[in-house]
Amino acid sequence: MRIKWLGHAAFYLEVGGLKFLVDPWLNNPAYRSRPEDFTDVDFIVVTHDHGDHLGDAIEVLKVAQKARIVSIYEIASYVGEQVGVNRAIGANIGGPIKLGSELTAVLTPALHSSIRGAPVGVVIIAGGESLYHAGDTGVSYDMKLVGELYKPKVALLPIGGHFTMGPREAALAADLIRPKYVIPMHYGTFPILWGTPQEFVEEVRRRGLGIEVVVLKPGDEVSL
Ligand SMILES: [Zn+2]
């Protein structure tokens, strides 16, 4: 799978040959991209509707003709009112969503807040591989179920603290999920997000898990 960090919680992903944006806040302080850069994207996943996550989802849907949003029902309905109901796939926590013969997404619990619906994370399963984007969340034992059920190869975890897990909590999350690779996110965008990838690497190492921490810079791309 191909993973590009667009800064903050925003990622461009290619999994099982399909193209995704997750939490496309494209014009963020850490990295700037434009809706026009993603005209061939297949799905946009939004974990909750705070501005730093819903971001430019509607603008991308306007320029990416075949793209559809996958989100909690209430957010999908809100976006569907603006871009057309056929462009919105609303679902709920824990129900596998069949997006194609080889592609399933699952919205996962997240300990956070949201204006519409409940905040979530997402597991994307395609081509025999699986990736987990935790959304904005505190650590929770539900993450152990994500690991048991979907065995994600890669977990994208917030580490910035204040609004989400910090490095110590995220290392416990990695322990519960047991992915092969973990990529820290949701740090460094604003001064209030104090967690650093160095602290996270140290916390994961201390647990002796054999999980590889892949630290990206905003704009970096990796194939795993
Ligand atoms: Zn956030």
Side-chain angles (χ1 to χ4, degrees):
M1 59 181 76
R2 221 175 120 201
I3 299 164
K4 180 172 183 172
W5 190 28
L6 305 172
H8 204 55
F11 285 86
Y12 171 78
L13 308 170
E14 289 181 12
V15 191
L18 289 153
K19 301 179 171 78
F20 299 81
L21 280 175
V22 182
D23 287 353
W25 186 33
L26 302 179
N27 198 19
N28 67 66
Y31 186 76
R32 293 187 190 274
S33 52
R34 305 167 307 150
E36 295 75 23
D37 299 335
F38 303 103
T39 51
D40 62 346
V41 80
D42 296 293
F43 296 100
I44 300 168
V45 182
V46 172
T47 62
H48 62 294
D49 62 1
H50 293 159
D52 58 324
H53 295 262
L54 179 59
D56 303 291
I58 291 168
E59 285 68 29
V60 178
L61 285 161
K62 284 177 181 166
V63 297
Q65 299 300 328
K66 66 178 176 184
R68 288 182 289 166
I69 182 171
V70 179
S71 195
I72 198 84
Y73 184 82
E74 290 79 5
I75 294 175
S77 300
Y78 164 73
V79 172
E81 279 168 21
Q82 300 179 59
V83 297
V85 288
N86 60 329
R87 310 284 307 282
I89 300 166
N92 220 308
I93 294 168
I97 309 158
K98 294 289 183 190
L99 296 173
S101 57
E102 296 279 319
L103 172 65
T104 301
V106 187
L107 303 180
T108 59
L111 299 179
H112 199 66
S113 62
S114 184
I115 304 161
R116 301 171 189 85
V120 300
V122 66
V123 180
I124 296 168
I125 306 155
E129 296 188 312
S130 132
L131 173 145
Y132 172 44
H133 184 300
D136 277 6
T137 187
V139 65
S140 122
Y141 278 114
D142 285 328
M143 291 168 171
K144 192 168 172 58
L145 296 181
V146 170
E148 274 183 30
L149 277 166
Y150 308 118
K151 299 181 173 40
K153 179 159 93 171
V154 181
L156 313 176
L157 301 179
I159 66 151
H162 198 98
F163 299 111
T164 71
M165 299 186 285
R168 182 163 172 247
E169 292 78 14
L172 173 56
D175 200 341
L176 294 169
I177 302 158
R178 297 295 177 102
K180 189 159 184 220
Y181 304 98
V182 63
I183 298 178
M185 63 165 176
H186 212 277
Y187 66 88
T189 326
F190 321 108
I192 200 171
L193 304 181
W194 54 265
T196 66
Q198 293 76 21
E199 292 169 86
F200 179 58
V201 166
E202 187 50 42
E203 292 283 354
V204 172
R205 186 182 305 142
R206 192 173 300 159
R207 287 178 175 271
L209 302 171
I211 297 172
E212 186 177 336
V213 181
V214 179
V215 177
L216 301 177
K217 290 191 186 68
D220 277 0
E221 196 176 315
V222 66
S223 287
L224 296 173

